[in-house]
Amino acid sequence: MSATDITDLGVYQVFTGGGTGSGFLIAPTVLVTNCHVVAPYRQVAVELRDRRRVLGTVRRIHPQRDLAIVELASAPGGEILAIHAAADLKPNQPISIVGFPVGLPLSITDGVVSNPSQLLDGQHFVQTDAAINPGNSGGPMLDAARRIVAVTTCKLRAADNVGFGIPGGDAQTFIDGFHAQTAPFGVQCPACDVLLEHAERYCASCGSDLESLELATYFDPPAPHPLVGFVEDALTGAGVDPVLARHGAANWSFYSGSAPIEIWSCCSEHLCFASPLAKPGKQRLGDLFRYLLGAEHAPFAFDLDDNVIRLHLTLHITDVFAHGDRAELAAWVAKFVASADRFDNQLAADFGCEPAPATQLTFWKEQARS
Amino acid sequence: MAITSLTYAAPVRRLPRPLNLDYALLEAASAASDDGHVDDAIHKVFAHLFPGAAVGDLAAQPFTFVQGSSQVTARVEDGQLAITVPLVRLPPTGNAVAALRYALTTISGSGQLYQPRLRGDELYLEFRDKLTRMHPAKVLEVLRRMPVEADRCDDWLVGQFGAQPLERAAIEPLSDDELARAEAVWRTHWDEVEELLKESQRKRSTWFLNEVSAIALFRVQFVQPICGYLLARISESAAVWNDGQGDPAKREAALARTAREMKAVTSAELRANLGHARYALAPLAEGQPSTLAGYFGSGDYIETIDKYRTQGKSFEAALALISSCTYLLARYAWPEDVAAALMDGLAKAGGKPWRDAAALLWDHCKGLVEQFCGDASGGEGGEPDGEGGEPDGDDAELEAATTDETIDDSSRDEETP
């Protein structure tokens, strides 16, 4: 498949407060991914090619088979690929993995089927030598006919080129079960596959002790860390949907108008807000730099990161726990969101600045640096 | 002809002694903060960091202290704690733009609570926040980091861009005798670094290069009361050649360039960059018995040295022991007897052939552990990482292929049967 081929596929990046993964459409507003990509979140964000995000509601999860079904608030478009359920894969058969490795835009890697039915931990997997990286989870493994033959799930850490996918047949069984059910949310019993609609100690069908499998967390997700709670409350107050902004653990990214905004915790002490706004122009640099360093912008400041002007704000972790000041700090967050959208236009108008090339790479680089 | 030994020179620098900070004050500050006594909490943090200093009511009387070339002022005004360090006055030339770009690129940044601020043509480093948000941990962080950052930046701005010093703290000049000794040591040091670098290129060993680059940097910091632009230049270039993860070829090239440039430094230039600076805040970490034990007690690093020592690689072993002792003296403040013992080892090994130096320092360093470390003698050590063995099947782990930067990976790993 060529690069242009994959752009139109109904394969999208899934964002939660725990990380990112991949997923593929099985209907215009229904997406399949891994359970470990979405759990324990009940709402996730799905990013479209133009980087707009759509809210997704988790409808089904199967912790044992590592599958999940997410219903999207609107149809993102893209080709819905057929699932090939037949167990007729052959060793050395070409295979392609489509997804979002390490958070990069949609990518494809090729390999072959190393073992069509590798037994691991009591379950059968499609084993492949195609490169699987963090972020590929939940994406499709395609055969030469562009059929989904497996759902990418994991790889062996201490080995090269040993990756695994959930066979298409198992994925199809899971999807068929979902279509036959009406419950808004459910977890499939790891032992007998029956649908559980509430947290139960023992499965009513097979009697398995479900507490040891920590199923309750899927029904009643743990409360977020206070830092996460603070940011998400503040974003809500600023008119930003925090679910759509989530970009992994204690990380958020979204646009305020034309300005990209990134929020992350760089260490145990700081909560950082940054918005790459513009590149300095060729003229009036002295005036521009004097404005950035000399005008009153507190509590915000500007810096230059790879020649990109960033508006930034750093909070100390103890600020977040100073309950008396939470309202004021939340107001800072709202002001930051509004200011970023204003400043990028102002810098262009007043100082001839150029638009900043904002890519996901800047976000990853920031995290690597921290 | 290959270098056969390293010289030792006693420090011209006045070795800092541990300040014996009262950590109970810090705990008391946290308790006061939790009880809502913010002023008391702030006062206790200052008392912890500046033992013996008279810190009064910051609203009535600002507290000023000196950190190298920086003069730091802390005051309370309008319900806020304000900490300010004047950096420089911008040069009247085109270099002002470069200086401002440097401030925006290098001094300003996310992840720090203080930022540069331009007032007219004067550049300051500033922190300002409400008293009600002054948790001791926050005050401590700003007081520890901001003056050090200011001390690091002002010399660069002056030396590189021609900025004018602004309210700079006085640095006591060296006596003629000290200066003569410092210059002699300086010249010898960079000559020896060049010779060691030739050996490094011949041996093509990253481990050896790490030791050479450590000696190049830490012997200067240990011996010389260096400050000013020269220190900033060395620090900047050392970020390349003393980076153990960097490309060895680039590191060697950078170190060769630095050695060449430092040898070309004139006497007048050297004089202008040497002096006994005052540091209100301990400029070095306090050396602990566990620190010594970490290097010379047990662990990968000392085992590697032992392997070299017993397998006919005395050069490597001696160099590592010398660099370790020098590093410990350069980067930590030690009680007088420990510092004297470390210097005694270096003095005894100075000028000795590698084999003799390695044997002598090995015994000496092991003796240091016995003498000073007591129960800490089994500390973790090991700069160099050990070679990883082949993973066996039982330990193989499945890695879920989601991205996740901060969550403990183990939460999502499964073990294969």
Side-chain angles (χ1 to χ4, degrees), chain B residues 152-344:
Chain B
R152 184 182 69 80
C153 294
D154 57 0
D155 292 319
W156 187 263
L157 287 161
V158 170
Q160 191 69 34
F161 305 115
Q164 304 300 308
L166 189 63
E167 298 177 39
R168 200 176 169 84
I171 293 177
E172 181 188 335
L174 270 57
S175 68
D176 289 345
D177 176 54
E178 286 176 325
L179 192 64
R181 199 152 56 84
E183 181 165 0
V185 175
W186 178 269
R187 307 282 173 218
T188 304
H189 171 71
W190 292 111
D191 284 343
E192 289 183 342
V193 167
E194 281 194 334
E195 292 304 314
L196 288 172
L197 195 50
K198 288 176 192 166
E199 285 295 330
S200 175
Q201 289 165 333
R202 191 176 64 78
K203 288 179 182 291
R204 298 171 64 85
S205 156
T206 302
W207 200 86
F208 192 88
L209 176 60
N210 290 345
E211 301 304 329
V212 172
S213 65
I215 283 179
L217 178 63
F218 298 124
R219 199 159 64 156
V220 169
Q221 292 181 345
F222 160 53
V223 175
Q224 304 285 4
I226 190 166
C227 50
Y229 182 47
L230 209 49
L231 176 61
R233 280 173 62 191
I234 292 175
S235 299
E236 191 197 40
S237 57
V240 177
W241 46 259
N242 200 38
D243 173 11
Q245 307 299 315
D247 175 356
K250 287 182 181 168
R251 292 174 61 197
E252 285 176 349
L255 181 53
R257 189 168 55 250
T258 300
R260 200 165 53 243
E261 288 173 2
M262 293 303 127
K263 285 176 70 172
V265 166
T266 64
S267 298
E269 204 178 342
L270 193 59
R271 175 190 289 267
N273 286 277
L274 293 174
H276 298 296
R278 289 178 293 146
Y279 297 93
L281 291 159
L284 304 177
E286 289 183 21
Q288 304 289 340
S290 59
T291 317
L292 271 184
Y295 274 83
F296 304 131
S298 60
D300 294 342
Y301 186 55
I302 196 70
E303 284 170 16
T304 305
I305 293 174
D306 192 27
K307 188 181 76 178
Y308 283 137
R309 188 179 69 92
T310 55
Q311 293 181 358
K313 292 191 171 181
S314 298
F315 194 168
E316 282 83 348
L319 202 62
L321 289 165
I322 291 169
S323 83
S324 297
C325 290
T326 308
Y327 167 81
L328 291 170
L329 284 161
R331 284 299 175 93
Y332 292 91
W334 296 98
E336 205 164 331
D337 53 347
V338 179
L342 280 165
M343 287 189 286
D344 184 45

Side-chain angles (χ1 to χ4, degrees), chain B residues 108-163:
Chain B
S108 183
S110 58
Q112 63 188 41
L113 299 170
Y114 47 85
Q115 301 295 344
R117 181 72 196 270
L118 188 67
R119 298 188 181 281
D121 277 341
E122 295 177 349
L123 192 62
Y124 293 80
L125 202 54
E126 293 185 352
F127 166 80
R128 180 181 287 269
D129 204 354
K130 271 172 66 176
L131 282 176
T132 51
R133 283 194 287 269
M134 281 305 115
H135 189 278
K138 193 171 174 182
V139 181
L140 197 67
E141 177 188 317
V142 174
L143 284 173
R144 277 183 175 159
R145 295 186 185 173
M146 185 174 153
V148 173
E149 176 74 358
D151 188 33
R152 184 182 69 80
C153 294
D154 57 0
D155 292 319
W156 187 263
L157 287 161
V158 170
Q160 191 69 34
F161 305 115

Side-chain angles (χ1 to χ4, degrees), chain A residues 18-20 36-37 102-103 120-121 132-137 153-158 164 247 249 251 264 266 269-270 272 285-286 289-290 292-296 301-304 307 310 312 314-316 318-319 325 328-329 332 364 366-367, chain B residues 90-91 96-101 103-106 108-113 115-121 123 129-130 132-135 137-138 141 145 391 395-407 409-410 412-417:
Chain A
T20 73
H36 80 256
V37 168
V102 294
L120 274 176
D121 205 11
I132 293 177
N133 285 293
N136 275 123
S137 275
T153 179
C154 60
K155 66 175 180 178
L156 265 187
R157 174 179 287 185
F164 300 99
H247 200 137
N251 286 284
W264 74 103
C266 66
E269 293 163 344
H270 298 138
C272 304
L285 288 174
F289 295 164
R290 281 177 181 274
L292 298 177
L293 284 168
E296 185 59 66
F302 287 99
D303 71 356
L304 272 173
N307 202 35
R310 294 193 312 175
H312 60 85
T314 301
L315 299 182
H316 196 265
T318 55
D319 295 336
D325 283 325
E328 184 179 358
L329 296 176
W332 284 6
W364 294 109
E366 197 58 68
Q367 291 180 336
Chain B
L90 292 179
V97 173
L100 289 170
R101 181 182 280 276
L104 280 163
T105 305
T106 307
S108 183
S110 58
Q112 63 188 41
L113 299 170
Q115 301 295 344
R117 181 72 196 270
L118 188 67
R119 298 188 181 281
D121 277 341
L123 192 62
D129 204 354
K130 271 172 66 176
T132 51
R133 283 194 287 269
M134 281 305 115
H135 189 278
K138 193 171 174 182
E141 177 188 317
R145 295 186 185 173
D395 288 338
E397 289 180 312
L398 281 177
E399 182 177 29
T402 48
T403 62
D404 192 324
E405 301 73 47
T406 50
I407 282 185
D409 280 341
S410 62
R412 282 191 280 96
D413 289 342
E414 304 160 9
E415 285 194 343
T416 54

Side-chain angles (χ1 to χ4, degrees), chain B residues 4 49 158 237 275 318 363:
Chain B
T4 56
L49 281 176
V158 170
S237 57
D363 292 342

